[in-house]
Amino acid sequence: MNILVIGSGGREHALCWAIAASPLVEKLYCAPGNAGIAQEATCLPVQPLDFDAIVKACRENKIDLVVVGPEQPLVAGLVDRLQYEGIRAFGPRANAAILEGSKGFTKDLCAKYGIPTAAYGRFTDSAAAKGFIRRTGLPIVVKADGLAAGKGVVIAQSFAEADAAVDEMLAGRFGEAGAALVIEEFLDGEEASYFALCDGMDVLPLTSAQDHKRVGDGDTGPNTGGMGAYSPAPVVDAAMEERILSTIIKPTVAAMAAEDRPFAGLLYAGLMITKDVPKLIEYNARFGDPEAQVLMPRVFGDIVPVLDACANRQLRHVGIRWKKEAALCVVMAAKGYPGDVKKGSEIRGLDTAPAGADTIIFHAGTKAVDGRVTSQGGRVLGVTALGADVASAQKAAYATIDRIDWPGGFCRRDIGWRALGRK
Ligand code: AMP
């Protein structure tokens, strides 16, 4: 088969790395890709929201399957367009990607179908929002309804902070995404993520992960797209996995089918585990980044038949197996991230850095310039290692990081601390 992956981050490098290993793949393309992806796939200068150009690239390269990485094209209807053109695609249609595209939609779905989540209200009016905040009490969580690249959430510890978040979002800080708000009860507990493939009807449970959102060691500083992750998450044991599937994932897939919005693709549940009860914080409609960078290396065998069966509504006919090792990924970002960063600094030593066969350097924001690899964004590399447990995966990942010569970058030194603290 010929496969086209859409996107250019660490998630897409991890997907391309796994797909390229399949004997079923004849040619692998990525649009637009990056310097690391170029080692696995032919990169095409096509942007994820340029649907006409994507369709053209599919025709020219005889693409059998498109795998969509990021959320924006899913929410904007790329899979609808590809299906209309008769091109098979992995990922939800827009009317199902709304699970990620509108937090208010998801909260209403949870309320209607009894899926456990935080108590909430939806608002477009500032006075009504502030009244709800007073009635609910502190701390309180104020969220922009739409896509805000993980930045549209404020956990307010005071009424002044909550009011300011309401005013800023309604004034357009996140554009249209903040024209409506979800305000919800603060949930206290341990966060974890759970992933499942769905084909509209059936669910293929995958596995769990935990990520590190804050930029600094000890979970300090501003939120980011994610500074590292590991899988599986120790807090999600077999009993918890069963609870997540039976109270959250399966009811959601059934609810979406009942609403005539069948969800096909990767369903990523952000969860808060409070007193052994999982509650939904949010859904994403695609693989996480950096979570894909710990999931893909743990897949035992070929990922392509699974992605293809999902796109083909044949999920019930396939299975997936996982390596017994844990995977841990440390993100290296350009200095200044998540604020403004300088692009174009050279990264050396990537070829010789991996400290073992089970260590992979995924590229998130790189560009090859005259044979040199340079930084091209905030999050630039993801170093993933497998190990017998989180501790040995962590050791191998940092051993590799210490061999990468990039004065313009930094990383957290404590990825995995929560899992290690459990021991
Ligand atoms: P979201 O974009 O909805 O995943 O929110 C981003 C982050 O905010 C989550 O990963 C949580 O750490 C935190 N968060 C969101 N909603 C809540 C909540 N109701 N209670 C506690 N923390 C929350």
Side-chain angles (χ1 to χ4, degrees), residues 104-279:
F105 169 87
T106 298
K107 298 296 287 189
D108 286 352
L109 189 87
C110 288
K112 183 171 172 187
Y113 291 91
I115 295 161
T117 185
Y120 74 105
R122 296 180 74 175
F123 303 95
T124 50
D125 172 73
S126 154
K130 290 173 186 173
F132 179 82
I133 289 169
R134 297 299 179 290
R135 290 195 301 282
T136 308
L138 299 169
I140 187 121
V141 187
V142 180
K143 301 183 176 187
D145 183 79
L147 295 184
K151 295 180 187 117
V153 175
V154 172
I155 298 175
Q157 303 292 343
S158 70
F159 290 128
E161 205 185 335
D163 290 353
V166 167
D167 289 335
E168 272 187 24
M169 289 187 197
L170 288 178
R173 167 136 187 246
F174 299 107
E176 268 304 295
L181 306 179
V182 167
I183 302 182
E184 65 181 35
E185 163 203 14
F186 176 78
L187 297 174
D188 204 5
E190 183 167 346
E191 272 189 82
S193 305
Y194 191 82
F195 307 88
L197 287 170
C198 317
D199 67 1
M201 288 302 292
D202 289 307
V203 173
L204 178 64
L206 297 185
T207 186
S208 61
Q210 279 177 303
D211 72 345
H212 296 258
K213 284 250 181 304
R214 302 295 193 98
V215 74
D217 284 4
D219 289 335
T220 54
N223 263 332
T224 69
M227 295 301 292
Y230 51 92
S231 173
V235 67
V236 182
D237 58 15
M240 181 56 64
E241 180 168 15
E242 179 45 41
R243 237 166 279 157
I244 292 166
L245 283 164
S246 62
T247 65
I248 297 179
I249 302 282
K250 288 179 181 171
T252 299
V253 174
M256 291 297 279
E259 296 285 320
D260 211 10
R261 296 172 179 271
F263 185 95
L266 188 283
L267 188 59
Y268 162 167
L271 305 162
M272 190 69 84
I273 313 234
T274 21
K275 298 193 193 78
D276 273 352
V277 176
K279 288 190 177 175

Side-chain angles (χ1 to χ4, degrees), residues 42 54 72 102 127 142 146 162 184 264 316 333 339 362 411 417:
T42 303
I54 291 172
Q72 296 87 353
S102 166
V142 180
E184 65 181 35
R316 70 180 59 190
F362 292 119
C411 66
W417 69 267

Side-chain angles (χ1 to χ4, degrees), residues 17 206-209 230-233 292-301 320-328 360 384-386:
W17 174 85
L206 297 185
T207 186
S208 61
Y230 51 92
S231 173
Q293 301 174 54
V294 288
L295 257 53
M296 288 304 125
R298 286 191 58 225
V299 173
F300 187 90
I320 190 164
R321 287 172 63 204
W322 299 94
K323 294 179 188 163
K324 59 182 187 314
E325 287 96 342
L328 181 136
I360 311 145
T384 297
L386 290 170

Side-chain angles (χ1 to χ4, degrees), residues 345-363:
S345 62
E346 185 177 356
I347 307 162
R348 293 197 199 91
L350 291 172
D351 291 340
T352 51
D358 280 340
T359 305
I360 311 145
I361 300 174
F362 292 119
H363 292 220

